[in-house]
Amino acid sequence: MQKVEHIGIAVKTLASAVPLFEKLLNTPCYKTEMVETEKVNTAFFKQGETKIELLESTDPEGVIARFIEKKGEGLHHIAFDVADIEKEMERLKGEGFVLLYDKPKPGADNKLVCFLHPKHTNGVLIELCMERK
Ligand code: ZN
């Protein structure tokens, strides 16, 4: 695994969270994107090498809506950049981690992504992401 690529934060609405994070980080949101497969709208900020990804549910039954219902808004996942996602998934499987998918899926921001089950990572949802070529 390489650097922390981004930190995902679950929010109720981008309409209120984006202006707040623009003020907080003193930088404009540079991209918003809907990820249909995950039922989320995302908004991205660049802070040095790392990005902040705000996640808003597009569906009351979606994963982000259910997360907020259970835990409230806040830190949702940490994403690490990987050079070869399939290789890294194999390595982690071999180490006994549980991956949420068998194959990497297209994610926001032109990435292939996979998540690790938080039950086996001290409650932290970990995302692996690799730039799509
Ligand atoms: Zn993410």
Side-chain angles (χ1 to χ4, degrees), residues 6-8 44 53 55 76-79 108 113 115 127 129:
H6 66 267
I7 295 171
F44 284 90
E53 173 186 37
L55 304 143
H76 181 257
H77 65 268
I78 298 178
V113 304
F115 290 91
E127 174 184 341
C129 67

Side-chain angles (χ1 to χ4, degrees), residues 106-125:
D109 203 28
N110 195 39
K111 298 278 199 284
L112 284 174
V113 304
C114 187
F115 290 91
L116 272 68
H117 200 295
K119 261 191 194 143
H120 305 273
T121 51
N122 295 77
V124 182
L125 180 61

